[in-house]
Amino acid sequence: MANEKVQARIEPAPRPAAPPEPAPTPRPDAQAVAAAPSEVTAREEAPQPGAWTRLSTWFATAFPHSRNAVLGGICGLVVALLLFSVGLFKTLVIALLVTIGVACGQYADGDPKLVNLVRELMKRR
């Protein structure tokens, strides 16, 4: 058994049959189109929303009342990651920048919780 050679043969996958081509649809003449414009517009498909529209819709449903705060946090994170590499001190700076971004976003949303917290901490001193 130890001296037997294992042989494997790779065969190409069978090609799928080509789908039948649809029969051409007859085009209506100009008089029929002018007489029934609603039929022509009913055949037109509505354009599909783009990726940006789908992302914006998801974002609005996932973060309904804090859109700017989340965007500020994401921007702060991106800036921090672009400026620094990973390390203990640099990770603390990244956390600080993300917090500042969230605070700016909350301020833009009209709900400055972090700004109010910092003001309260400054008043106590």
Side-chain angles (χ1 to χ4, degrees), residues 47-59:
Q48 295 294 325
W52 185 256
T53 304
R54 290 192 309 263
L55 179 65
S56 178
T57 303
W58 171 82
F59 201 78

Side-chain angles (χ1 to χ4, degrees), residues 80-105:
L81 291 176
L82 289 175
L83 292 176
F84 303 111
S85 63
V86 178
L88 179 63
F89 177 71
K90 293 177 183 178
T91 302
L92 293 174
V93 173
I94 289 172
L96 177 67
L97 290 173
V98 169
T99 304
I100 290 170
V102 169
C104 292

